[in-house]
């Protein structure tokens, strides 16, 4: 086989490896779900149950009600904010409204809550959830099926959005690493929790790069580069 043939074979194998790693990370996430639920408050546990029943509007209402309480800690506020943003995003993804209005509601909620949180670690948690909303929004813009010239404009728009998410997540990962090293939070941060947040950000970066690769035709340098980045972040 000529060198070019070896190259494309290698890239095809890399894509299959990305898929295998993705499934492995999903299984690991499922296995850790019991740990997350054990630490979950009763209030957010109820919101999670609403999500399991796909009652996203009710989940949003309940999250907003609880966030109106003035004596919440920053960690409690960040946890509720995450569920609020997820509730709004789920509704936007299921809505027939193709305007930006459903997604704008998430941005407005994020900015309002973010101003009320002082703890750097809690800020990072909320920032991550907001970037996940942007990831879901960009993914919703991806045309179904493989890349085609007829839909190049739509793929280009999704590519720009995903690139912005990548930049924001990379900056957030560096911030969390700095927080875990210096413990600048006003409250004592569990080093393990900080590392777990860093691992989650890294995994979401891999997911973002993998989604971004779908914006380019198979075998092109851009697609190869993005799949390689996904592998690096999944590792």
């Amino acid at each position: 086989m000529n060198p070019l043939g070896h190259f494309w074979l290698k890239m095809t194998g890399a894509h299959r490896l990305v898929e295998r790693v993705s499934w492995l990370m999903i299984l690991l996430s499922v296995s850790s779900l019991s740990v997350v639920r054990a630490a979950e408050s009763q209030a957010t546990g109820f919101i999670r149950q609403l999500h399991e029943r796909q009652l996203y509007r009710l989940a949003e209402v309940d999250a907003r009600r609880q966030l109106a309480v003035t004596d919440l800690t920053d960690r409690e506020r960040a946890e509720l904010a995450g569920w609020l943003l997820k509730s709004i995003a789920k509704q936007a993804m299921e809505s027939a409204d193709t305007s930006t209005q459903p997604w704008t509601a998430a941005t407005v909620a994020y900015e309002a809550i973010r101003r009320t949180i002082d703890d750097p670690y809690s800020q990072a948690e909320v920032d991550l959830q907001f970037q996940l909303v942007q990831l879901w929004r960009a993914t919703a813009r991806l045309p179904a099926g493989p890349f085609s010239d007829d839909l190049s404009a739509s793929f280009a728009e999704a590519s720009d959005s995903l690139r912005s998410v990548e930049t924001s997540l990379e900056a957030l990962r560096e911030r969390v690493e700095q927080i875990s090293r210096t413990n600048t939070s006003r409250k004592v941060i569990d080093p393990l929790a900080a590392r777990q947040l860093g691992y989650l950000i890294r995994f979401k970066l891999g997911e973002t790069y993998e989604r971004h690769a779908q914006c380019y035709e198979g075998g092109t340098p851009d697609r190869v580069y993005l799949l390689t980045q996904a592998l690096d972040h999944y590792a």
Side-chain angles (χ1 to χ4, degrees), residues 36-228:
V36 173
R37 290 184 177 178
E40 197 171 46
S41 67
Q42 182 177 358
T44 55
F46 175 65
I47 296 176
R48 176 181 55 77
Q49 291 175 19
L50 291 175
H51 269 252
E52 291 175 350
R53 291 165 175 77
Q54 299 182 8
L55 300 174
Y56 303 126
R57 176 55 183 164
L58 290 178
E60 176 190 352
V61 170
D62 194 64
R64 289 187 184 277
R65 177 186 62 80
Q66 295 188 63
L67 281 165
V69 176
T70 58
D71 61 349
L72 293 173
T73 66
D74 280 353
R75 297 299 295 276
E76 290 170 337
R77 193 170 297 278
E79 185 179 10
L80 285 167
W83 281 108
L84 172 60
L85 293 175
K86 185 176 181 181
S87 300
I88 296 173
K90 287 289 187 179
Q91 292 176 77
M93 287 187 285
E94 293 185 349
S95 175
D97 186 354
T98 58
S99 69
T100 61
Q101 196 281 329
W103 296 101
T104 301
T107 302
V108 172
Y110 161 73
E111 292 176 346
I113 297 170
R114 184 62 162 74
R115 288 193 293 266
T116 67
I117 297 177
D118 297 322
D119 174 55
Y121 181 79
S122 300
Q123 288 175 347
E125 289 184 306
V126 177
D127 291 345
L128 172 59
Q129 188 60 55
F130 180 66
Q131 290 307 316
L132 294 184
V133 170
Q134 303 311 305
L135 172 59
W136 297 332
R137 181 179 183 180
T139 301
R141 294 176 179 173
L142 273 172
F147 178 87
S148 67
D149 291 334
D150 294 339
L151 297 171
S152 59
S154 297
F155 278 108
E157 181 181 5
S159 176
D160 289 342
S161 299
L162 289 165
R163 187 176 297 108
S164 177
V165 174
E166 289 161 3
T167 301
S168 297
L169 286 177
E170 288 284 8
L172 180 58
R173 182 177 61 82
E174 293 177 2
R175 272 177 47 207
V176 170
E177 288 181 355
Q178 180 67 16
I179 291 172
S180 64
R181 286 196 301 267
T182 62
N183 197 19
T184 56
S185 177
R186 294 182 178 180
K187 298 179 181 179
V188 176
I189 296 177
D190 180 358
L192 178 59
R195 288 196 298 272
Q196 288 175 334
L197 182 59
Y199 294 149
L200 178 58
I201 295 171
R202 186 178 178 87
F203 171 67
K204 289 302 178 181
L205 263 167
E207 182 181 336
T208 306
Y209 282 119
E210 187 177 357
R211 299 280 178 85
H212 195 175
Q214 298 174 31
C215 297
Y216 298 94
E217 189 173 0
T220 58
D222 286 325
R223 187 181 181 95
V224 170
Y225 168 77
L226 290 166
L227 288 175
T228 302

